[in-house]
Amino acid sequence: MKALRKLASGAGHLELVDVPDPRAVPGHVVLAVKAAGVCGTDIHILHDEFPTIPPVTLGHEVAGEVVEVGSGISDWSVGDRVVTETYYGVCLQCEYCRAGYSNLCAQRRSIGSKVDGGFAEYLEVPGRLLHRIPDSLSWETAALTEPLACTVHALNQVRIHPGDWVVVSGPGPMGLLALQVARAAGGRVIALGLTQDTKRLEVATQLGAHKTFNVEVLGSQQAIAEVTALTNGGAHVVLECAGAGPSADLLLQVVRKRGAYGQIGLYGKPVPIDVDTICYKELSVSGTNASIPEAWPRALELLQLGLVKSEAIISGTWSLQQWQDAFAKVQEKGALKVLMAP
């Protein structure tokens, strides 16, 4: 089969190559991959900015059909439509695994970085990772389950209440998912972006943002003044989805005292922020690392109920042979969520 693989450490070294079809070992299944999302993590892997164990097939946002079932599996059958969690290997014994936080297991090995992922025709994963796709959801929509589960986990940390003002900085795919989950919780959402995000801010409005601001056009101080006035003294919750230092600094200024700051975006390097503000405002600060198992059923339910709409976020589907163009679209921010259909 064809697979997009990181063949060696260092920047680049991504190639579409032929590899043997996987087989289902006991307790595992093989999926025919129907749709797989390109994540910012995949771009970081391309540039050797995220740890991998090469050679390894990329791709961790996967929807597929069960085509082979290993021994010891009774919950799944050939033909089932499923999405898969990403944690191929965890110890299941540490305090984090036992508490439901397998994302923090020191022995965690995830598909797409440490073991083979879904940018391939077939994918082999443990049966314990699967969740059934509701009949009403397309393959493409189902492929959003993984990033949406990450978003659900992140917003569970900040606990939005009906009527809360929520500021989302960074209207990329994660920011637009966060916007919708915040609205589903009853929040009134303000989206912030830059000039390069103009079209994305328009999508934010389509998805129910109460107001959007182009920080680059307004200038940071004017943007802070506008948001503070609109929210009558500051937002109850701010969500940093841009992974940019100036974005974090601005959010610390627009969040109200005793508000909540949620970090969703990754920076890839240390950034300077005024940590004293956390003390002076008595802020609750949280960060999240991917998803936890209980977030997956909630993510699928949000999609099934139409509380999170996929159409405005999915920019299109590319074949594996078109992977270079797909990756370029993501890097140039010429698209929102890019999918590949092996």
Side-chain angles (χ1 to χ4, degrees):
M1 69 174 184
K2 295 290 186 183
L4 180 60
R5 290 170 67 80
K6 179 85 170 179
L7 297 179
S9 299
H13 303 297
L14 254 62
E15 291 186 27
L16 187 63
V17 297
D18 289 303
V19 296
D21 290 359
R23 300 304 305 267
V25 298
H28 290 222
V29 303
V30 173
L31 308 179
V33 178
K34 299 297 184 179
V38 179
C39 175
T41 300
D42 298 310
I43 304 302
H44 286 306
I45 291 173
L46 170 65
H47 297 295
D48 204 38
E49 298 167 344
F50 187 88
T52 60
I53 302 179
V56 65
T57 301
L58 273 63
H60 59 272
E61 302 177 0
V62 181
E65 180 181 347
V66 177
V67 293
E68 185 182 352
V69 177
S71 61
I73 296 273
S74 59
D75 297 336
W76 303 105
S77 303
V78 171
D80 286 344
R81 301 171 72 244
V82 298
V83 290
T84 176
E85 295 176 32
T86 61
Y87 307 139
Y88 185 99
V90 292
C91 75
L92 300 177
Q93 301 297 322
C94 69
E95 61 179 298
Y96 302 109
C97 284
R98 293 199 306 271
Y101 295 98
S102 50
N103 59 322
L104 300 178
C105 178
Q107 298 183 36
R108 165 185 157 190
R109 293 182 302 130
S110 297
I111 61 173
S113 56
K114 302 293 179 65
V115 295
D116 287 339
F119 290 164
E121 296 173 61
Y122 299 99
L123 169 66
E124 177 257 328
V125 290
R128 63 179 170 79
L129 299 181
L130 303 183
H131 297 269
R132 195 176 307 277
I133 299 171
D135 292 340
S136 60
L137 299 185
S138 67
W139 293 116
E140 293 77 15
T141 295
L144 285 181
T145 307
E146 193 277 339
L148 182 54
C150 296
T151 307
V152 167
H153 177 43
L155 269 68
N156 279 343
Q157 308 282 74
V158 295
R159 300 190 181 281
I160 296 166
H161 300 93
D164 280 355
W165 281 106
V166 181
V167 176
V168 176
S169 180
M174 293 301 290
L176 294 174
L177 290 174
L179 183 161
Q180 295 184 79
V181 177
R183 275 184 46 79
R188 294 173 288 177
V189 183
I190 299 168
L192 306 180
L194 304 175
T195 299
Q196 66 183 8
D197 299 317
T198 299
K199 291 184 177 179
R200 295 179 171 195
L201 290 173
E202 292 173 359
V203 174
T205 299
Q206 296 170 19
L207 292 174
H210 183 86
K211 188 77 173 179
T212 65
F213 292 108
N214 184 326
V215 177
E216 196 169 10
V217 169
L218 287 176
S220 294
Q221 292 308 309
Q222 184 60 33
I224 292 167
E226 295 272 2
V227 173
T228 302
L230 181 59
T231 58
N232 193 28
H236 300 85
V237 175
V238 295
L239 301 170
E240 205 295 300
C241 301
S247 167
D249 182 66
L250 187 150
L251 290 180
L252 286 173
Q253 296 183 66
V254 301
V255 64
R256 69 176 57 198
K257 294 174 182 177
R258 298 194 60 80
Y261 176 103
Q263 185 64 48
I264 298 177
L266 295 177
Y267 300 96
K269 58 184 178 182
V271 296
I273 61 171
D274 185 2
V275 179
D276 286 349
T277 303
I278 297 170
C279 296
Y280 293 143
K281 289 189 173 183
E282 295 192 1
L283 301 178
S284 298
V285 178
S286 64
T288 46
N289 181 11
S291 67
I292 59 175
E294 73 171 26
W296 284 71
R298 293 190 180 203
L300 285 164
E301 188 173 23
L302 286 168
L303 290 169
Q304 184 179 20
L305 294 174
L307 294 171
V308 170
K309 302 182 186 304
S310 62
E311 296 82 1
I313 295 179
I314 297 173
S315 296
T317 302
W318 281 252
S319 69
L320 281 178
Q321 288 72 19
Q322 298 169 311
W323 75 267
Q324 290 175 310
D325 182 58
F327 274 52
K329 286 285 191 299
V330 176
Q331 293 184 88
E332 296 163 2
K333 297 191 175 181
L336 281 165
K337 177 52 68 177
V338 167
L339 302 179
M340 291 207 284

